[in-house]
């Protein structure tokens, strides 16, 4: 069955280190997204991609980067981890339907702690 | 004012009750609307899309009111398994793609 996976599921790192979170989907969706979820906030969009070699900044992109070298993967990199980036990170993918709808399907999440 | 606002609850209801959630949004150019369900420490899962004419899926009914800029979710005959957080999602593609999630409404269904 098609699915979307994230790794690692849990990560503890130190301030200043570079961290990369992986996201892999087998839906063959063109669109992929990264969100973070914190208490008191809804999910907030970090970066998104409409296809290979396409990346775009979301609402909270500072300190994060993504690259899209193939359809299946959208890794998220924290260039220099900060304690404010402690959060749960969700990856999602979608395909625009014929009616123009954009229903996103989520991976299981990565819980990141920055000490 | 937040772009998408939901009553955080919690809503505590007995099994069999009918419960309704509202969600307001500020961008009148918003194009797509959804309800997601999120269980504790799990990923959000699509519950249903919200169409202009309203739509129903079993015990769940979603409505969109563009004039007043809100969407609603009605759950009839609540089950224990409906206990979760319900997230309202609004998507616009005017001036750049934006997906805005509400902070969610907690629902507890009790026996």
């Amino acid at each position: 069955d098609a699915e979307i996976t994230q790794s690692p599921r849990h990560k503890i790192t130190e301030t200043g280190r570079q961290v990369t979170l992986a996201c892999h989907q087998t839906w063959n969706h063109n669109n992929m997204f990264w969100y973070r979820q914190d208490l008191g906030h809804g999910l907030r969009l970090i970066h998104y991609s409409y296809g290979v070699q396409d990346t775009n900044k979301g609402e909270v992109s500072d300190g994060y980067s993504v690259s899209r070298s193939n359809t299946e993967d959208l890794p998220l990199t924290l260039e220099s981890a900060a304690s404010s980036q402690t959060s749960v990170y969700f990856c999602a993918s979608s395909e625009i339907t014929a009616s123009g709808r954009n229903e996103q399907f989520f991976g299981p999440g990565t819980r990141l702690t920055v000490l | 004012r937040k772009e998408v606002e939901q009553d955080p609850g919690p809503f505590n209801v007995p099994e069999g009750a009918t419960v309704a959630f509202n969600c307001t949004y500020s961008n009148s150019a918003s194009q797509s609307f959804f309800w997601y369900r999120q269980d504790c420490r799990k990923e959000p899962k699509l519950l249903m899309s919200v169409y202009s004419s309203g739509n129903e899926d079993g015990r769940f009914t979603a409505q969109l009111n563009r004039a007043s800029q809100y969407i609603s979710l009605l759950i009839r005959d609540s089950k224990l398994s409906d206990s979760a957080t319900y997230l309202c999602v609004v998507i616009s593609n005017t001036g750049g793609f934006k997906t805005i999630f509400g902070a969610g409404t907690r629902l507890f269904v009790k026996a």
Side-chain angles (χ1 to χ4, degrees):
Chain A
D1 286 345
E3 60 178 358
I4 180 166
T5 57
Q6 294 182 233
S7 63
R9 297 293 312 279
H10 301 271
K11 174 78 175 177
I12 300 174
T13 191
E14 296 176 342
T15 301
R17 291 193 181 265
Q18 184 181 79
V19 177
T20 296
L21 309 183
C23 175
H24 179 80
Q25 52 99 3
T26 58
W27 295 94
N28 203 34
H29 285 164
N30 281 318
N31 308 323
M32 295 185 73
F33 310 85
W34 273 105
Y35 294 89
R36 61 178 288 174
Q37 186 174 33
D38 305 286
L39 277 176
H41 292 91
L43 279 81
R44 291 181 290 174
L45 184 62
I46 304 171
H47 283 284
Y48 60 99
S49 168
Y50 284 146
V52 176
Q53 302 301 332
D54 176 73
T55 61
N56 304 279
K57 294 181 178 182
E59 178 188 357
V60 290
S61 60
D62 287 348
Y64 303 94
S65 63
V66 294
S67 61
R68 187 87 181 272
S69 59
N70 59 52
T71 300
E72 295 80 18
D73 299 289
L74 186 71
L76 177 72
T77 297
L78 287 67
E79 303 294 343
S80 177
S83 58
S84 60
Q85 294 176 307
T86 294
S87 187
V88 180
Y89 291 86
F90 289 103
C91 178
S93 71
S94 77
E95 198 63 57
I96 307 294
T97 65
S99 60
R101 305 200 70 79
N102 184 1
E103 298 173 345
Q104 298 178 33
F105 298 92
F106 284 80
T110 294
R111 190 170 295 273
L112 176 68
T113 301
V114 183
L115 301 176
Chain B
R1 181 189 172 192
K2 291 183 180 179
E3 291 188 71
V4 174
E5 293 201 71
Q6 294 183 249
D7 182 343
F11 285 64
N12 293 290
V13 302
E15 269 188 299
T18 295
V19 61
F21 308 135
N22 281 339
C23 168
T24 59
Y25 61 95
S26 61
N27 183 356
S28 60
S30 298
Q31 298 162 311
S32 300
F33 308 87
F34 304 90
W35 284 102
Y36 278 74
R37 170 198 169 119
Q38 186 173 27
D39 293 291
C40 188
R41 301 174 81 86
K42 297 287 186 69
E43 73 272 23
K45 293 187 177 177
L46 179 65
L47 180 64
M48 58 197 303
S49 300
V50 186
Y51 299 104
S52 297
S53 55
N55 49 299
E56 186 174 309
D57 183 2
R59 298 182 293 108
F60 299 86
T61 300
Q63 298 277 354
L64 167 64
N65 185 318
R66 285 193 181 271
S68 300
Q69 294 183 204
Y70 75 85
I71 66 173
S72 63
L73 177 68
L74 182 76
I75 305 175
R76 290 181 298 277
D77 189 23
S78 299
K79 311 292 185 189
L80 295 176
S81 58
D82 293 333
S83 296
T85 297
Y86 291 83
L87 306 174
C88 160
V89 182
V90 176
I91 295 180
S92 66
N93 203 13
T94 307
F97 175 84
K98 291 184 77 172
T99 302
I100 307 295
F101 278 75
T105 298
R106 291 292 303 274
L107 172 65
F108 293 102
V109 181
K110 300 185 177 182

